[in-house]
Amino acid sequence: MINFLIVFLLSIVFTLLMIKISKKYGIYDYPNSRKIHKDPIPRIGGVGFLISIFISAVFLTDIFEKFTLFTIAMLIIIFEGLLDDLINLHFSQKFIFEFFSASFIFLSGFGVKTIGFDIILHPAISFIITIIGFVGVINAFNMIDGLDGLLTILSIIIFLTFSYFFYILNNFELLKFSLCIVFSLLGFLVFNFPNAKTFMGDVGALSLGFLSASFSVFLTQSKSSMVPPIIPVIILSIPIFDTIWTIIRRILNNYPVFYSDKRHLHHILYSKFGKIKTIIILSALQLFFSTISILFYKLNEIYLWIIALFCFIFLGVLGYEKSYHIWFWRGRNTSSR
């Protein structure tokens, strides 16, 4: 336990350092009509917890030695996130980074080989689904990073859930790595909880999405895994299904899919309940989805798919009421988030 306390403290130290660097070089997340905060906030705080994750993982695990291609893929995503925070990449430029990152995961042998029901996918189909899955989850995490502390808290619950599954599977290497992420995020939360002194930025959000997608395939795509592939979808219901519903709303209203708006679930709930209550509601929902995945992962897969469908419908209903009154389109000259 003392090791993870050190991880927590390291995250605090490096997050403080990144806040100072952000202020010194003017790296801020500036308010605009789409964003909720009113003042410029240092935006690369995510680098702080990522440094903590890397240092702790090097000393406590052999992850980066055993999974070289995974390490390269993660560094690609971190580089993408930093560039996006500094110069605001276009969504097409982001896709290039994410395509190569997902490709390295596929080449490492951890692509999406099956979607369940003992169906083994053709390598070409496996590659396509791996790319779509990784790109989707990476950007889904970025899209829900819209309230102080929200993505941090949801991610803590998500990686604790992964930790439980790695524990019951006796995968102690990934268990320790997952806990390194959890305690690094707890250290970051000290500065990210409302009212935030720093944001994690795209570098933090994209990296957490990549790690979640990676953990999903690590958990379900090995030959010895007892966890059905639909389980990570249930765990990640909020980012995945909120993103799908947001895209559906944009299409129905004839607005560009890849441009930002205020049609995400957290925007809709924020307009009704305010910041703290919205964070509490979504955190409780994440606990609910995580608990479902833990309690019912041994069910027949058809029932698990029905549960996932229920989660999808539930989140759609939650975000439907009068949501069309509070959206706006940023304009074609603004890059996506």
Side-chain angles (χ1 to χ4, degrees):
M1 189 63 188
I2 187 66
N3 290 330
F4 294 113
L5 177 59
I6 294 173
V7 174
F8 172 78
L9 295 175
L10 277 175
S11 182
I12 290 177
V13 170
F14 284 114
T15 301
L16 271 173
L17 178 62
M18 297 315 302
I19 291 173
K20 291 183 178 180
I21 291 174
S22 295
K23 290 180 177 178
K24 181 177 180 179
Y25 294 100
I27 308 172
Y28 290 102
D29 192 321
Y30 291 96
N32 59 34
S33 54
R34 186 182 64 84
K35 297 179 180 179
I36 293 171
H37 62 281
K38 305 300 181 183
D39 301 307
I41 304 292
R43 68 175 300 174
I44 56 171
V47 175
F49 70 71
L50 287 170
I51 293 174
S52 173
I53 290 171
F54 265 96
I55 292 176
S56 57
V58 166
F59 284 98
L60 298 179
T61 76
D62 295 323
I63 290 294
F64 298 129
E65 294 179 16
K66 290 182 177 179
F67 301 103
T68 305
L69 292 179
F70 163 76
T71 306
I72 295 172
M74 184 173 178
L75 291 174
I76 290 173
I77 293 299
I78 291 173
F79 183 64
E80 174 202 350
L82 274 174
L83 280 180
D84 199 28
D85 283 327
L86 296 175
I87 62 174
N88 202 13
L89 297 174
H90 190 265
F91 67 81
S92 60
Q93 295 170 316
K94 292 181 182 181
F95 174 76
I96 294 173
F97 285 99
E98 292 158 11
F99 173 84
F100 281 106
S101 177
S103 297
F104 278 116
I105 293 295
F106 179 81
L107 291 173
S108 72
F110 281 100
V112 181
K113 302 171 185 176
T114 176
I115 57 172
F117 303 104
D118 296 323
I119 299 173
I120 304 300
L121 301 175
H122 185 278
I125 297 175
S126 173
F127 177 72
I128 292 170
I129 293 178
T130 301
I131 299 298
I132 293 173
F134 268 78
V135 172
V137 172
I138 288 169
N139 286 283
F141 269 66
N142 198 30
M143 287 181 178
I144 63 170
D145 183 26
L147 284 178
D148 298 359
L150 176 61
L151 181 55
T152 308
I153 295 171
L154 296 184
S155 296
I156 288 170
I157 300 170
I158 286 168
F159 285 103
L160 279 173
T161 309
F162 280 123
S163 297
Y164 171 81
F165 280 109
F166 291 135
Y167 173 75
I168 63 174
L169 294 176
N170 295 318
N171 192 331
F172 297 110
E173 200 77 6
L174 285 173
L175 169 62
K176 288 186 288 185
F177 186 36
S178 186
L179 289 175
C180 286
I181 297 171
V182 169
F183 280 88
S184 293
L185 288 173
L186 285 170
F188 175 72
L189 186 61
V190 173
F191 305 97
N192 187 231
F193 194 79
N195 291 306
K197 295 179 175 63
T198 185
F199 294 154
M200 68 173 65
D202 287 349
V203 64
L206 295 174
S207 297
L208 289 174
F210 168 79
L211 286 167
S212 294
S214 299
F215 279 28
S216 296
V217 295
F218 292 160
L219 182 64
T220 64
Q221 299 300 316
S222 66
K223 294 181 180 179
S224 60
S225 178
M226 301 180 295
V227 180
I230 193 63
I231 285 295
V233 176
I234 296 173
I235 297 172
L236 304 178
S237 286
I238 292 178
I240 292 175
F241 294 149
D242 175 47
T243 298
I244 293 174
W245 278 114
T246 300
I247 291 172
I248 291 172
R249 294 183 194 113
R250 290 174 182 174
I251 292 172
L252 291 176
N253 286 275
N254 296 316
Y255 283 92
V257 170
F258 296 107
Y259 288 88
S260 303
D261 56 27
K262 291 184 98 171
R263 300 176 61 79
H264 292 289
L265 181 58
H266 61 268
H267 289 124
I268 295 167
L269 293 176
Y270 173 78
S271 71
K272 300 174 184 178
F273 302 110
K275 185 183 297 183
I276 299 297
K277 288 184 180 179
T278 297
I279 292 173
I280 292 173
I281 290 169
L282 290 176
S283 299
L285 276 177
Q286 182 58 60
L287 280 170
F288 175 68
F289 295 140
S290 291
T291 301
I292 286 177
S293 68
I294 290 171
L295 292 178
F296 301 124
Y297 79 95
K298 291 184 179 180
L299 281 181
N300 185 287
E301 286 188 80
I302 188 65
Y303 296 121
L304 293 175
W305 279 81
I306 292 172
I307 290 173
L309 179 61
F310 164 79
C311 296
F312 174 72
I313 295 172
F314 178 79
L315 287 171
V317 171
L318 187 65
Y320 175 74
E321 183 184 0
K322 298 187 183 301
S323 63
Y324 51 87
H325 288 309
I326 66 170
W327 67 268
F328 66 89
W329 176 35
R330 291 174 64 189
R332 291 182 181 272
N333 60 341
T334 307
S335 68
S336 66
R337 183 176 187 186

